[in-house]
Amino acid sequence: MPMFVDPSPPGQCIFCRLVAGEIPAAIVAQDELTIAFMDIGQVTPGHVLVATRRHAATLLDVTPQEAAAVLQTAQRVAQAVQAAFDPPGLTLLQANGAVGGQTVGHFHLHVVPRHADDGIHFTWPRQEPGAQVLQGYAERLRAQLCAQP
Ligand code: 5GP
Ligand code: ZN
């Protein structure tokens, strides 16, 4: 798990430079709010990143409109990936913060074609804490949602 996020300021990070055309990229699609381009490190062939055009570090920093636009672009890209590469599966991945697995601090979503035995493994230490604990977690979250503007 990477423990480092590129600390470049807004406008100077690698994806801002890519949006500005200052560094080369294999661009797949662009619109007012988003840009989709091939990940330089292809986990499987057809691996695309969908990013906001504006610099925003994480999911917590994008506007609702940007969040919706990124997912809409990702769906269009997924349809193109399906038609062009015909993978039997697709995984979307979006990392926030170094501990969350983020290495580039500019919001983006991975669209990854999946194949049997493609070498991708998620370790997911699943636990069932019980109904009472789940109700407590839900209560904490409902309180926060009620407090949102
Ligand atoms: P993260 O680890 O933050 O979720 O994903 C960052 C991704 O950006 C990595 O998969 C990495 O391969 C990709 N990446 C890093 N630098 C560049 C670059 O200069 N160009 C492109 N196209 N992708 C990059
Ligand atoms: Zn940026």
Side-chain angles (χ1 to χ4, degrees):
M1 180 67 68
M3 296 294 281
F4 172 79
V5 180
D6 172 9
S8 301
Q12 289 170 41
C13 88
I14 195 97
F15 290 173
C16 281
R17 296 181 60 212
L18 195 150
V19 167
E22 293 168 11
I23 60 167
I27 293 172
V28 173
Q30 299 196 60
D31 62 18
E32 192 189 341
L33 296 179
T34 70
I35 183 168
F37 51 94
M38 304 314 296
D39 193 309
I40 203 168
Q42 292 282 287
V43 172
T44 58
H47 174 185
V48 174
L49 298 177
V50 182
T52 50
R53 296 186 69 84
R54 183 182 72 89
H55 183 92
T58 74
L59 179 64
L60 303 179
D61 303 302
V62 296
T63 65
Q65 292 75 18
E66 287 171 328
V70 165
L71 194 56
Q72 281 178 3
T73 299
Q75 187 190 36
R76 290 183 56 226
V77 166
Q79 286 162 342
V81 166
Q82 195 62 48
F85 292 87
D86 196 27
L90 269 175
T91 295
L92 301 195
L93 183 80
Q94 197 278 308
N96 300 281
V99 172
Q102 186 177 19
T103 58
V104 175
H106 177 134
F107 181 79
H108 59 279
L109 178 66
H110 295 255
V111 179
V112 186
R114 299 300 306 275
H115 302 272
D117 302 320
D118 59 17
I120 301 173
H121 301 287
F122 295 105
T123 8
W124 196 264
R126 191 174 173 281
Q127 292 178 16
E128 292 193 16
Q132 206 176 339
V133 173
L134 296 183
Q135 287 297 344
Y137 292 163
E139 174 56 37
R140 284 166 63 183
L141 293 172
R142 284 195 299 268
Q144 290 300 325
L145 286 166
C146 283
Q148 283 181 2

